[in-house]
Amino acid sequence: ALGRGEPLRLAAPTIRETAVVSDALRQVEGELLRHRSDLEQAVADRTVELQRLKARVETVYATAPVGLCLLDRDLRFVMINEHVASINAVPAADHIGHTLPELLGETGLEFEEAYRRVRETLRPLRDIETSGEVPAQPGVTRSWLTSYYPVFGAAHELLGINAVVIDITERKLLERRNRDNEEMFRVLFEAAGDAQALLAYNANFISANAAAASLFGYATVEEFMDLSPAGASPEFQPNGRRSEDMALELMRQALDQG
């Protein structure tokens, strides 16, 4: 009929055929509803899981005693804690979606260099020590130890770069004071008119001044340093005891009693 251009005439379906089709459609509808319900539950479970993960990350950022920030592949802030935000003198919320140069100008370009290196090499940079002024404290030099880590997705694609910033300004000041104190001690030690010597237990002298070397009859400190307390003394003391035994006893006594 279709070949002759005539309309196709179908026989009227029987009641039995209609029932079969209706049952099949109801089964399909039931399957679709079950799949939809399972999908909605999976989405709901995943949403709860992501919310919990987000809460944990936010807690870490809020309570960590160090600076933390996460930049995306375009080097725009995704997350930042108050520790880093305070260094930049910009509220944490105002960082989101912006780059360092947009926030800090030329200073931001310098700070961004390490992030660019990680983005190019896909390798972390660890314990990078830097010093300088920051917007929060113009005219004050501070020091940091910063590590940069690439963050990868499931397919190992780069998602962003996380930075950990530790302020070591106080530690650097303490190290400087210790160096100054050590230098002052060295000068006083070497110039003292009294004999001064440092030694290791049951070993040789490890330091001495010129007065100590002269006391034992040596022209230079270097010659004296090759000796131990017992080696710089006669084999026996006036009381008849061996110098080596007495030296060990006196050193032990000094360690125990101070």
Side-chain angles (χ1 to χ4, degrees):
L2 290 175
R4 295 191 300 270
E6 299 175 1
L8 179 64
R9 301 182 184 278
L10 298 176
T14 65
I15 294 177
R16 185 173 182 280
E17 290 173 337
T18 302
V20 170
V21 171
S22 177
D23 288 342
L25 289 175
R26 278 196 295 269
Q27 290 178 7
V28 170
E29 181 183 19
E31 289 296 323
L32 289 174
L33 289 174
R34 280 193 293 274
H35 283 301
R36 177 180 176 181
S37 177
D38 292 344
L39 180 60
E40 289 176 345
Q41 185 60 50
V43 171
D45 292 343
R46 182 58 175 165
T47 299
V48 171
E49 181 183 348
L50 290 174
Q51 289 174 339
R52 290 174 179 169
L53 178 60
K54 181 174 181 290
R56 289 197 294 268
V57 172
E58 289 177 345
T59 299
V60 169
Y61 265 63
T63 59
V66 298
L68 297 170
C69 62
L70 174 64
L71 277 62
D72 64 18
R73 295 174 58 179
D74 296 324
L75 304 185
R76 296 185 179 277
F77 281 96
V78 177
M79 294 187 70
I80 184 171
N81 68 356
E82 291 296 338
H83 189 95
V84 178
S86 64
I87 295 175
N88 296 338
V90 177
D94 292 346
H95 283 74
I96 307 305
H98 293 284
T99 66
L100 279 162
E102 289 174 354
L103 295 168
L104 305 177
E106 291 296 324
T107 300
L109 282 173
E110 297 176 11
F111 288 167
E112 196 180 62
E113 174 60 27
Y115 294 96
R116 288 196 294 267
R117 287 176 58 189
V118 173
R119 184 176 63 180
E120 292 168 1
T121 65
L122 302 181
R123 295 179 179 275
L125 291 175
R126 296 185 177 91
D127 299 333
I128 306 301
E129 186 174 324
T130 55
S131 298
E133 298 181 16
V134 293
Q137 294 179 299
V140 177
T141 299
R142 302 196 67 82
S143 300
W144 305 272
L145 199 64
T146 308
S147 296
Y148 306 86
Y149 301 93
V151 179
F152 297 105
H156 202 68
E157 75 280 15
L158 181 68
L159 299 180
I161 301 158
N162 195 68
V164 181
V165 184
I166 303 174
D167 191 322
I168 58 171
T169 304
E170 297 302 323
R171 191 182 83 184
K172 299 293 288 185
L173 290 174
L174 181 60
E175 290 174 352
R176 188 176 302 116
R177 292 193 197 102
N178 288 340
R179 286 196 300 269
D180 292 343
N181 290 337
E182 289 173 0
E183 179 62 18
M184 181 175 64
F185 172 79
R186 185 188 65 79
V187 171
L188 293 174
F189 180 81
E190 293 178 354
D194 297 328
Q196 304 281 344
L198 298 176
L199 56 109
Y201 180 71
N202 197 24
N204 291 359
F205 292 104
I206 58 176
S207 182
N209 63 0
S214 177
L215 177 67
F216 283 87
Y218 291 89
T220 66
V221 171
E222 288 73 19
E223 293 177 297
F224 180 65
M225 293 285 291
D226 291 332
L227 301 172
S228 66
S233 305
E235 183 179 0
F236 293 95
Q237 293 293 306
N239 61 6
R241 295 188 61 190
R242 290 173 57 85
S243 293
E244 184 176 0
D245 295 338
M246 283 200 66
L248 288 174
E249 179 182 319
L250 292 173
M251 282 190 282
R252 184 72 264 173
Q253 182 178 337
L255 290 172
D256 293 341
Q257 300 179 9

